[in-house]
Amino acid sequence: MSAILFDRATVLSMTAAEGEATTFRGAVGVEGNRIVLVSDDVAARDEFVASHPDVRIIDCEGKLVMPGLINTHCHAAMTLQRSYADDILLMEWLNDYIWPFEARQTREDVALGMTLGIVEMLLGGVTSFVDMYYHENDCVDVVQRLGIRAMLGCNYFDTNIEEAFPEVEDAVRRAEGLDRIRIAVAPHAPYTVSRENLIRGKQLADKLGLHFMTHLAETRDECRIIGEQSGMTPVEYLDEMGLLDERTIAAHCIWLNDDDVKTLADRRVIVSHNPQSNMKIASGVAPVRKLLEAGAVVTVATDGPCSNNDLDMFEEMRSAAFLQKVSTSDALTLPAYETLKLATVNGACAMGRKKGELGVLKEGALADIIVIDMQKPHLQPVHHIVSNVVYCAKSSDVETVMVDGRIVVENRVVKGVDLPELYRKVAESVKRITSR
């Protein structure tokens, strides 16, 4: 099996216990798709090299080696709608711009938008993402070709459920035997999908052993609509139907009362916090501190590149930390290391992975690794490297990206992608859609 050694690196493993140093100088060795060495011991490093005569050694002097970032909620194909409809109220944004645009898209358009979104994420150090969109079955091939790790959530409303459910089963067939790709059932939201069809979606997910994901408690309007229909909060509404468990991913979760927070924590629901999208659409501020204190599994994500308007997880981490500090009037809320855990260790839960298998640099873990060039003005000096990563780093600082033991970005070049040709195709697609 091929072997790669990230040598002379500053290693941020995301495995440090409280009070321990978060980084060390050493090496990370990869064999096949697994990490087999994480050490500051020179003898262990030399033994790895000796036992792998054909090892490729990547010199990481002046660079940081860490786990890849995990984006737990996005609509990657909406890159085609980037900056298409900005500074508009949410319901007007959806009804008058986004949904009409999507109605004019073909399957090929969706696959093209997905390609652009994945390229953007890979260049920004994202090695895993959770998606929610249409025609995800057609995007299995895109994900497999580009080499990223993904959970693809087949989105549905009451109006397209009969088309969406066969796509779920088709996506499962297409992803069979592809460990990097998992499928999920994804009703849009409790206010756009009926009670009956929400339950049908969960039943399908349970039958096929899939995750279940939805937008939840995102806006005041959603809470009002669900309250008028059921007399419950959106969280109570889904919980009463038995839809909340450890395989449920709930995006946004802004408008929660204390009972809602407890329920999400008790059910081990994966909460995906989308700070920049929430700010831009003026949806509100998620009570992340309360959720974490209650023991909830909180992650961080970008949402779609139409409501954000990018897929930059470094920006998202910075915003997540700063937004919690200002909204709680407490500068100690969501410190840098805890914020980074949302985008790595916690994010692994959304991918359905066992603890220690993803989101960390640990012997036996999947080899999803990024290399950050620290030799940048905005990353110097280094008083606290984790603070520099969360508060200062940019996606453009990512130099090398490995997913599942394979290097997919090297020297900021995405393997197997002709960027000018991709941009040309995207422009043609958007022109055709918007000119109709």
Side-chain angles (χ1 to χ4, degrees), residues 84-102:
Y84 172 65
D86 288 332
D87 309 320
I88 298 168
L89 294 174
L90 176 61
M91 291 306 171
E92 180 185 355
W93 181 77
L94 287 171
N95 288 295
D96 297 344
Y97 294 90
I98 303 308
W99 290 337
F101 185 107
E102 290 175 336

Side-chain angles (χ1 to χ4, degrees), residues 119-158:
V119 167
E120 180 182 352
M121 284 190 280
L122 285 174
L123 284 169
V126 174
T127 53
S128 298
F129 76 106
V130 176
D131 202 63
M132 180 181 186
Y133 209 57
Y134 311 102
H135 309 317
E136 295 279 28
N137 54 329
D138 291 327
C139 293
V140 170
D141 293 340
V142 177
V143 171
Q144 178 65 5
R145 174 170 53 84
L146 293 176
I148 200 167
R149 193 180 304 279
M151 179 177 287
L152 302 177
C154 301
N155 185 41
Y156 71 89
F157 295 77
D158 286 333

Side-chain angles (χ1 to χ4, degrees), residues 15-16 70 95 119 131 166 181 207 211 258-259 261 280 298 303 314 316 324-325 370 376 418:
T15 60
I70 301 172
N95 288 295
V119 167
D131 202 63
I181 304 173
K207 172 188 170 185
H211 274 58
D258 289 346
D259 288 339
V261 168
K280 185 191 173 197
V298 181
D303 205 359
F314 286 94
E316 215 67 42
Q324 286 304 300
K325 294 175 191 300
I370 63 175
K376 301 287 183 71
D418 182 340

Side-chain angles (χ1 to χ4, degrees), residues 89-92 94-95 189-192 217-229 232 234 255 281-283:
L89 294 174
L90 176 61
M91 291 306 171
E92 180 185 355
L94 287 171
N95 288 295
Y191 68 94
T192 54
E218 181 178 4
T219 65
R220 283 193 178 100
D221 279 344
E222 176 188 338
C223 296
R224 176 184 56 78
I225 292 167
I226 297 303
E228 290 172 354
Q229 291 175 351
M232 293 182 273
W255 297 101
I281 302 178
S283 297

Side-chain angles (χ1 to χ4, degrees), residues 166-196:
E167 288 190 353
V168 173
E169 295 182 344
D170 182 47
V172 169
R173 284 192 295 271
R174 293 192 191 198
E176 187 176 359
L178 304 176
D179 185 61
R180 279 191 292 104
I181 304 173
R182 297 188 173 185
I183 308 303
V185 180
H188 174 260
Y191 68 94
T192 54
V193 179
S194 68
R195 178 187 181 88
E196 175 192 358

